[in-house]
Amino acid sequence: MFPQFGATAETLSKASTLVFRIGTDAHLYDDPEDVNIAPLLESKFDSEKCEALKRLLALIAQGFDVSNFFPQVVKNVASQSLDVKKLVYLYLLHYAEKRPNEALLSINCFQKDLGDPNALVRGWALRTMAGIRLHVIAPLVLVAVGKCARDPSVYVRKCAANALPKLYDLRLEEHNSAIEEIVGILLNDHSPGVLGAAAAAFASICPNNFSLIGQNYQRLCEILLDVEEWGQIILIGILLRFVIAKHGLVRESIMFSLCCTESSNSGKDGSPTEISIKEDPGFLCRGNNFGLDVDVSGDNDLLASMISRCYIEGPNEYLSRLSYTNRGPELNVAQFTSGKSNNDMKILLQCTSPLLWSNNSAVVLAAGGVHWIMAPREDVKRIVKPLLFVLRSSSASKYVVLCNIQVFAKAMPSLFASNFEDFFICSSDSYQIKALKLEILSSIATDSSISFIFKEFQDYVRDPDRRFAADTVAAIGLCAQRLPKTANTCLQGLLALTRLEFLSSDIESVEGEAGVLIQAIMSIRSIIKQDPPSHEKVIIQLIRSLDSIKVPAARAMIIWIAGEYCSLGDTIPRMLTTVLSYLAWHFTTEALETKLQILNSIVKVLLFAEGEDLWSFKRVLNYVLELAECDLNYDVRDRARFLKKILSSNLDPQGLEEEANIIPQHKELSHVLAEHIFGGQTKPVSPEPMNCRFYLPGSLSQIVLHAAPGYEPLPKPCSLLCDDINLSNVCEGTNALESAKNSDFYDTDDHGSLSGSLDEESTSDYSRQDSITKSSISSGGDGTSSANDDDDNLDPLIQISDVGNACENQNGVSHSGSADLGELISKRGLESWLNDQPALSSASTSEPSQVSISTARISIGDIGRQVKMKSYTLLDPANGNGLKVDYTFSSEVSTISHHLVCVEVFIKNCSSEAMSDIFLQDDESIKRSYSADQTIVATDSSLESHNDIPIIVSMEEITSLEPGQTARGIIQVRFHHHLLPLKLALFCNGKKLPVKLRPDIGYFVKPLPMDIEAFTDKESRLPGMFEYARSCTFTDHIGELNKGKDENLVIKDTFLVICECLALKMLGNANLFLVSVDMPIAANLDDASGLRLRFSSEILSNSIPCLITITVEGKCYDPLKVSIKVNCEETVFGLNMLNRVVNFLAESSQAHL
Amino acid sequence: MLQCIFLLSDSGEVMLEKQLTGHRVDRSICAWFWEQAISQGDSFKLQPVIASPTHYLFQVVREGITFLACTQVEMPPLMAIEFLCRVADVLSDYLGGLNEDVIKDNFIIVYELLDEMIDNGFPLTTEPNILREMIAQPSIVSKVLSVVTGNSSNVSETLPGATASCVPWRTPDPKYANNEVYVDLVEEMDATINRDGVLVKCEIYGEVQVNSHLSGLPDLTLSFANPSILDDVRFHPCVRFRPWESNQILSFVPPDGQFKLMSYRVKKLKSTPIYVKPQLTSGGGTCRIDVLVGIRNDPGKTIDSITVQFQLPHCILSADMTSNHGTVNILANKTCLWSIERIPKDKAPSMSGTLVLETGLERLHVFPTFQVAFRIMGVALSGLQIDKLDLKNLPNRPYKGFRALTRAGEFEVRS
């Protein structure tokens, strides 16, 4: 009975969940494909259509590609049911970019819906139409947005504002002025709801067009409170930038005092006379708290001035300038305005202060940022409470706010000093939050609060999270350094801790304990460093505890301390004999780091020792050195030998220097050397790392600590002239003039000259090849004559790097031929020369004895000649009635427009009859009824005007082609960075044959010649988000290597073959410049790890550099692991490029041969 | 601006993706994310901003559901986090809670909501009142109706009027037969008691929650008897700033239904209603724990739902705990939970037991923190008092109700 009952209970519960799920879309999500979706879409019932669409959305949600339903779904856009409409829109937005042609079918419906009396329908239609992002319909969308920007409904106007960034994203330069105009209209809107969205549009489209803000500034400030919260965040940022650009910084603000203290170089007296100190409570308060430790507050000032500089210049700019020159352009007093007299500044502060009470933490932080930068110092404290209150909202926002508070607290510790309790740690905080709080606490601690903080720290040290406990110990050290008065208390506490730790017997068994101990010793060390004489006793205690402390790192540190302060005071020198004997006794049982430190310390002691002690020390050192020379570890052995050599004189068994004066000069020298190495006192390092980076409060960059793409520092103070509106007009005027000039220039470029240049190119192709062979031969003769006994056509040429003559010669030859050709050659990336490492030699084919020479940067000359351009079939003879068309991407750069990619086309007549009137044309342009001539005359200006469609600059028409004959031509195509095949039409004998041209991203770039320094420099400037890496296996070289073996030819260097294979593959598949080839250190002849090739290029359309680095790993005869790294500012392009490179490197060449 | 939002279940499954801009984000980012989350453990899950190799990620975790948003460009990180929190709030409000099933079952509503809430990566309509009118909430009635009629429309046919009004948070012209408004003071007490038994920190985080069912466009004024005790405040957008700045009066047009009018903080309180005294003595490889709980300052109302819990340190092999009142449980994640409920009149509750340490350890060197929870109905411990609530623009006299509640927030006792 019971099991039965159980069963019924089970079914009951099942039934109840079923009831619960009735009417929901659960079954659709679980089994989206259990019915045939296509017929449902065609159904005449809305409910069935809805179901079908829901099933499609379920598939999208689960990550399936259902774009094949696109045509059927698009039809339903005409449905009257809003339910269906909404679902169709959701689907459309997901796939429109993938199916641009079908998406066009929906445009008519959107146009109709834009006139609908229902505002919701209008808004949705506009959102979707702008959201499908097709270049073709951009003009239509622009008109629609313009119309909707004047719509009576707030919702529709808001949608219009949101549509603007979508349009702008398409990067159609000719529409930009129209878009900005609409932004201006929307910023004039009287509804706060629209303003928020308009502000967002402004920030993403034209953040520096301050003339739009200037007209509305006061109104925007006043309405700020009523704008919805998300708009407030953006609008606050815009207003702040505007005020800084127009009026500069505020004279009473923190930013000002910081800049001035820096420029006048003296802490407090440097404040300008305009500010009366008495009137300034913030200033006084700071004086009270830090008057006693000038050094520390001086540090703060320095740090804070750096912060303000970083806000204005951006950390990268500022820090790089710091490292090169000492001082950049000063912020002069003229760039400051008094906030008390300036109305604009006052209004902004007034209007943002109530926002500190906002419910949205992002708004609070944005408003707080304005006050931090703009408010008079005595008012800045207004932001403290709101910021601390935000800490209570959610743990995610807590972290972000703490990151910002940390910077504020470092720059102005007095601001948060009295609120130290808010940074006490809860057990529910995450580790990151705990670490941040500790850091803030240690930077805001004052003499009055430190006792409370230490009490807390004592609790934290016993926390179960040992990583946190170790951080606490480090924080104690920091506090002691900031407040020297407390140093003694801190040291006592830390010493007690070290004793406590080793009391718990075998601490190595307990996880994390060692970390706490090491941190404690480190903190003690840093405190001692500040004032060694007064902490003599601590040092003695530490040395005494050596016997009980077992952690190697901690022991090493104590031994270092003993060596460093061996001559301090009276007691320590007397202890040393015992200590050293003890260390020598234990030497063999110590860990590596401790052994090294023992050696160092004994030498240091020896150098300071005098008289009797010297004898015993020498004996100890000799003993230890002998032990060390037989040590298992090579580091210890090396160190021992090194020390022995350096101290050979001191270690003389006869001992005293007076007796051993055989080579006094030499002895003196080595002694001085030893003194310099071991005797030098370490300089006190400033506690704050000066290379920290600061970004604007509330920015993403401040959290991730690197400049995120799109991060902009504050505008330069007073960069905006008062008459900004006129100014911007002038600018526009000159732009217009320039563009007019450009178009003129291109218009005069007539048909004849253009086709002439094309001809020139085709002929130059052959002559260039000649010149290459010539140059290679000549260099072979001059430089490495031995290397080139074999057939010139097969063997690569190696330029040995230290043969400077060869390089010069070759360069000379290539330049002497003709300037143009020389340029062309260098652009093709055929050669790269090294002049920078004269001592290097490369492995050459006939000199295997030289292989063992270490790293080498070699150049593979002449590789370009071997590059086989990959040929693709455009039309095979079977489909084309005997006409065969192949194409290869040419590495030439178009002379007409940088948007165009050159494609070389080979047309062969495989039939038995002659063919006539062969002509290749863009499919689209036929539809637009362009004649062939017009396309050819296409100049830059006309390209711009139709740049929403791929445009092809065709080759000349071939009037007739005899059987077996091949014609060659160059077409130039604009791909718009689309990777979809381009439809072309081939005319032959009056018939139209549709063909598809597949773009290759490898040819959307052109070679960018540069040297290795320029390369590494560029590379270092494109870190983080701009760097993408993948790896794949490369096998091509195996065949090549085996081929060499079989045919028993002259033994080729394996590395070289690999380099050559890789370089050929790269250059054969993409239009790149080979910057350098780094050979690995040839310790193991079989190991190719470390081989590195660098390529550079720039994107054709926008000249953004794209750098590729290839690093090889693995054994020569095995498949190699190749990691490819692309650095490019254009993220999407870079990723596509990376994928392409991985694809062609991974695919085996054998498959094609 | 945000490029994509993913909803991940607690097992790492991508339940939903919503692309927001033309720069699509591939799902593989979620795989990366989950791999990191597994390899790095909890500290990664608590990291709100993550720089992945290709995107910046923002994450908010609610009830096991991870809300993940991606961007590639600079934007205020708090904006993304606040928005994700808002999405989580709205979804849990719509679906009556958050879990994997409820999101999958109502994925169409989630899609429709997301589509209204964010456009091109910038928040569009986040006001719950307007959303509720645009997209119908799934209710039992509508579910049954949809089964019967086969028609399941949840999209409104017209634009909600509130989008155009100057008080976008309020549905225009609701009609109620009984006008009523309830004001609740809900307070949480945060306290830290250190190892010496000293009260290091004690403060109240409070919210004024209002539930209003009023016809027309009423104008409310709420004033406190002792506003000076408030340390800091944050307001719902409906509160007018000027009256507060000048007279500390809350003047507002309320949204319809339940909302959080304001939150406040009262700092530097002197005492807690109950005391918890842990005592740990260790030696010889074991540790003896005694915990005493009792009333310190009688708030005048009953204190209930009292629990004390603490995490056993890693170095403990086994624990044996007993109590003279309530139940003691040791949960799977080494958490010891003692639920007391109410303190009896005749005796002081105590818990005691022994912990056996790892072999080799003589005595305990790390000490757990005890987390205390309680609830007191009818009292606002901060002492904040509502003076009066005035209503204008109302046809008939409404019913006004006031309540108060205090519970423990981060109430910690270190040992």
Side-chain angles (χ1 to χ4, degrees), chain B residues 6 25-33:
Chain B
F6 295 105
V25 183
D26 195 78
R27 253 171 201 251
S28 54
I29 192 83
C30 296
W32 179 89
F33 171 82

Side-chain angles (χ1 to χ4, degrees), chain A residues 168-395:
Chain A
Y168 183 76
D169 245 15
L170 295 175
R171 310 230 169 269
L172 306 174
E173 279 79 10
E174 77 268 19
H175 292 155
N176 281 358
S177 61
I179 293 176
E180 287 186 29
E181 195 184 317
I182 302 177
V183 173
I185 294 171
L186 289 166
L187 278 174
N188 265 319
D189 205 285
H190 59 270
S191 161
V194 180
L195 272 179
F202 175 86
S204 61
I205 293 168
C206 46
N208 293 316
N209 187 354
F210 290 119
S211 61
L212 288 180
I213 300 296
Q215 304 153 1
N216 299 314
Y217 177 76
Q218 292 228 346
R219 201 176 51 83
L220 286 176
C221 282
E222 279 156 16
I223 212 166
L224 182 60
L225 285 183
D226 299 323
V227 174
E228 38 135 34
E229 46 198 330
W230 314 110
Q232 279 171 348
I233 304 167
I234 306 291
L235 195 52
I236 290 173
I238 295 174
L239 294 174
L240 174 67
R241 276 168 200 277
F242 171 76
V243 169
I244 299 280
K246 191 170 179 200
H247 301 293
L249 295 169
V250 182
R251 194 172 292 155
E252 292 86 359
S253 72
I254 300 176
M255 299 295 125
F256 176 71
S257 64
L258 303 177
C259 292
C260 284
T261 44
E262 189 196 30
S263 54
S264 59
N265 274 336
S266 69
K268 307 191 171 182
D269 313 299
S271 323
T273 47
E274 286 111 308
I275 301 171
S276 92
I277 293 174
K278 279 172 200 160
E279 274 178 12
D280 193 346
F283 199 79
L284 278 180
C285 145
R286 176 186 248 204
N288 282 338
N289 290 334
F290 295 105
L292 295 163
D293 35 85
V294 184
D295 285 342
V296 176
S297 66
D299 269 356
N300 284 333
D301 279 350
L302 202 64
L303 187 82
S305 79
M306 207 167 82
I307 293 175
S308 66
R309 292 307 195 83
C310 283
Y311 285 167
I312 292 168
E313 293 184 41
N316 288 337
E317 223 179 300
Y318 175 57
L319 291 173
S320 68
R321 209 192 62 215
L322 261 190
S323 59
Y324 290 123
T325 60
N326 270 334
R327 210 146 280 274
E330 283 292 334
L331 286 173
N332 55 8
V333 184
Q335 283 174 318
F336 291 87
T337 318
S338 171
K340 280 175 185 150
S341 59
N342 189 300
N343 232 355
D344 282 357
M345 290 175 169
K346 260 202 289 198
I347 291 181
L348 180 60
L349 288 176
Q350 261 170 23
C351 293
T352 47
S353 54
L355 291 180
L356 291 171
W357 293 330
S358 169
N359 225 348
N360 188 319
S361 57
V363 177
V364 176
L365 187 58
V370 170
H371 282 253
W372 170 248
I373 292 169
M374 302 270 303
R377 259 171 307 168
E378 61 266 28
D379 289 347
V380 175
K381 58 178 184 293
R382 194 184 288 180
I383 69 172
V384 172
K385 278 184 181 178
L387 283 181
L388 293 175
F389 196 18
V390 172
L391 294 182
R392 192 61 169 74
S393 55
S394 73
S395 77

Side-chain angles (χ1 to χ4, degrees), chain A residues 21 25 29 61 83 86 94 118 124 127 155 229-230 357 359 361 392 422 427 700-701 706 709, chain B residues 15 24 27 56 74 82 86 105 115-116 119 124 126 153 157 188 190 234-235 267 367 371 412:
Chain A
R21 296 180 82 172
D25 302 317
Y29 193 92
D83 265 318
K86 183 88 199 165
H94 199 86
N118 187 343
W124 281 357
R127 279 174 60 192
Y155 183 77
E229 46 198 330
W230 314 110
W357 293 330
N359 225 348
S361 57
R392 192 61 169 74
D422 282 294
S427 55
L700 177 62
S701 305
H706 62 249
Chain B
M15 294 189 291
R24 317 193 136 255
R27 253 171 201 251
Y56 300 105
E74 169 69 49
E82 280 279 326
R86 195 67 57 91
D105 291 356
D115 195 52
E116 277 314 319
D119 185 17
L124 181 69
T126 48
S153 169
E157 292 288 319
E188 284 183 12
D190 294 355
R234 290 171 80 181
F235 298 124
K267 286 177 81 176
F367 296 90
Q371 278 133 355
E412 295 187 349

Side-chain angles (χ1 to χ4, degrees), chain B residues 352-399:
Chain B
S352 56
T354 37
L355 309 176
V356 180
L357 306 183
E358 251 172 25
T359 42
L361 269 183
E362 268 298 294
R363 56 181 70 216
L364 203 61
H365 63 289
V366 292
F367 296 90
T369 303
F370 293 79
Q371 278 133 355
V372 184
F374 59 81
R375 195 179 63 169
I376 311 169
M377 302 288 287
V379 171
L381 277 184
S382 67
L384 186 72
Q385 282 171 353
I386 292 175
D387 187 30
K388 61 177 179 210
L389 176 66
D390 289 333
L391 296 94
K392 273 181 254 170
N393 283 355
L394 273 179
N396 45 1
R397 272 181 68 84
Y399 175 77

Side-chain angles (χ1 to χ4, degrees), chain A residues 741-756:
Chain A
K741 265 187 208 158
N742 283 343
S743 62
D744 275 357
F745 173 73
Y746 282 112
D747 282 339
T748 51
D749 208 358
D750 63 354
H751 178 190
S753 76
L754 196 74
S755 63

